[in-house]
Amino acid sequence: MPSPATRNQQIEEQFMMWVRWMDTLNHSLFETAMNKVYPSFVLTVDKNPAAGDFRTIQAAIDSLPIINSVRVIIKVNAGIYKEKVNIPATKSFITVEGAGADKTVVEWGDTAQTLGSNGHPIGTFNSATFAVNSPYFVAKNITFKVGKCPSGSS
């Protein structure tokens, strides 16, 4: 595992690449955007490893660069995905697209009173089944719900 200094240098370099890329765009806050943004790539999630690139949504998100600056579509095939998903602030421009709101479900069973690894309740903020902390996120044709999964299972 890289040292914290090396990791921080990588983050800084990726951030500066993003800043330089943003500078190349012809945009204005008060005008219609002239740039058409098309997805850079599409990832597929399926519970069957032979049918997708990843078995979990979180694994697909984790595969993206630390600072993501291009539209990525994560297609989630039909199924019930029992997992807790967190999209960090630096992974922007993610679209999660299910096979239908009645066919693709993400569920997890945490509540504010669920005990964390430190033995204390995790609280409301950390109890989300699907937490989105990044800008330009889109979700479509997918359902997020609180299930009855015991903490630590998937």
Side-chain angles (χ1 to χ4, degrees):
M1 182 167 206
S3 70
T6 305
R7 178 101 167 123
N8 289 341
Q9 289 170 339
Q10 289 174 335
I11 292 169
E12 182 68 23
E13 288 171 12
Q14 288 187 339
F15 176 73
M16 290 310 299
M17 286 174 42
W18 175 79
V19 169
R20 286 189 291 276
W21 177 77
M22 289 297 290
D23 192 44
T24 66
L25 300 177
N26 299 322
H27 64 277
S28 171
L29 185 61
F30 301 107
E31 295 178 12
T32 303
M34 302 305 288
N35 296 322
K36 301 279 189 214
V37 178
Y38 299 99
S40 289
F41 51 95
V42 177
L43 302 174
T44 303
V45 175
D46 195 295
K47 295 180 82 144
N48 177 358
D53 302 311
F54 299 94
R55 293 182 68 197
T56 67
I57 299 165
Q58 189 65 58
I61 291 164
D62 292 345
S63 76
L64 299 175
I66 293 169
I67 297 177
N68 183 54
S69 59
V70 296
R71 176 62 58 190
V72 175
I73 296 177
I74 299 174
K75 291 191 178 251
V76 184
N77 291 340
I80 297 174
Y81 294 83
K82 295 183 180 187
E83 64 176 301
K84 187 175 180 99
V85 178
N86 180 28
I87 302 177
T90 58
K91 296 198 178 185
S92 305
F93 305 104
I94 295 175
T95 298
V96 174
E97 183 177 346
D102 57 334
K103 297 177 183 170
T104 307
V105 178
V106 179
E107 70 178 12
W108 192 250
D110 282 351
T111 67
Q113 297 305 312
T114 301
L115 297 180
S117 58
N118 62 1
H120 294 87
I122 60 174
T124 304
F125 181 80
N126 293 312
S127 69
T129 296
F130 200 99
V132 178
N133 299 300
S134 66
Y136 311 111
F137 173 81
V138 176
K140 58 185 182 178
N141 301 325
I142 191 166
T143 297
F144 306 110
K145 75 177 204 175
V146 175
K148 293 184 181 179
C149 299
S151 189
S153 71
S154 58

